[in-house]
Amino acid sequence: MKKIKIKVPATSANLGPGFDFLGIALNLYNEFIFEEAKEYKEIGFEGIDNNMVLASYKYIIDKYYKKDLPICIKLEKNDIPASHGLGSSASAIVSGMLAANYFLNGLLSEKELIKEMIAYEGHPDNVMACLYGGLTSTVMDEEINIFKYDVSKDLYFNVLIPSYNVK
């Protein structure tokens, strides 16, 4: 039975003038375990109405496999608060789509998967930082060009998380 564990970082985007194309990965992580199953099952997602991890997984499966491929998704670690400006939707999209591609035996190339992630999220800033880590800049014209920059270990970030949801 196939099984994969995926760990994805929180992100911050729209840094300075980098609206919708500049993002940075942070040292907060969500971890998911995906395992083949006879029916869809979600563990650890209590209180989450719209599981975007499952939705993005199903999006890829439906589009490229065209039949059901049930899995059990376990939320192993949940350090990225939802709807608080730290890329929780990007972490869900990246992990769901990476898992779908894994269960499809790598059917999609990295470039195809990136296009799907960006299209699903609507902009590249958070998903590319989540996928590649560090500081990323994404330029989209005829092609998608991703630039990754290492972040100095001497830099520290303070994250202020609001007590209300950010849409």
Side-chain angles (χ1 to χ4, degrees):
M1 195 175 283
K2 287 178 87 169
K3 182 178 184 178
I4 188 170
K5 183 174 188 173
I6 297 176
K7 179 179 178 179
V8 287
T11 57
S12 184
N14 299 325
L15 306 172
F19 186 76
D20 278 353
F21 72 88
L22 190 61
I24 192 165
L26 304 170
N27 288 330
L28 292 171
Y29 299 92
N30 281 355
E31 293 180 19
F32 304 92
I33 296 174
F34 297 82
E35 190 170 2
E36 286 180 311
K38 293 189 185 308
E39 59 186 38
Y40 288 102
K41 185 175 182 182
E42 302 165 75
I43 301 170
F45 291 90
E46 294 76 21
I48 298 175
D49 292 334
N50 182 14
N51 184 345
M52 198 176 283
V53 179
L54 180 59
S56 60
Y57 170 87
K58 282 184 171 182
Y59 173 82
I60 295 295
I61 297 299
D62 292 346
K63 185 171 181 178
Y64 293 95
Y65 190 61
K66 304 198 186 313
K67 53 185 174 176
D68 226 11
L69 191 56
I71 54 165
C72 174
I73 307 173
K74 181 178 182 187
L75 177 56
E76 185 87 348
K77 182 177 182 185
N78 186 16
D79 285 347
I80 306 172
S83 299
H84 282 76
L86 291 174
S88 61
S89 63
S91 72
I93 291 165
V94 169
S95 57
M97 290 190 180
L98 286 174
N101 201 43
Y102 170 78
F103 286 104
L104 293 175
N105 298 313
L107 177 68
L108 297 171
S109 69
E110 182 178 355
K111 191 180 273 190
E112 292 169 321
L113 204 52
I114 287 169
K115 283 182 182 179
E116 291 293 355
M117 288 174 183
I118 292 171
Y120 199 87
E121 175 76 340
H123 40 82
D125 51 4
N126 283 307
V127 289
M128 292 303 95
C130 184
L131 183 63
Y132 290 112
L135 176 69
T136 59
S137 174
T138 308
V139 178
M140 296 170 46
D141 44 30
E142 282 115 41
E143 291 205 22
I144 299 171
N145 297 290
I146 302 154
F147 304 93
K148 182 182 181 296
Y149 308 96
D150 293 327
V151 178
S152 171
K153 301 283 184 206
D154 295 334
L155 289 177
Y156 292 89
F157 296 88
N158 290 310
V159 178
L160 303 175
I161 301 172
S163 59
Y164 53 88
N165 288 349
V166 179
K167 297 292 180 194

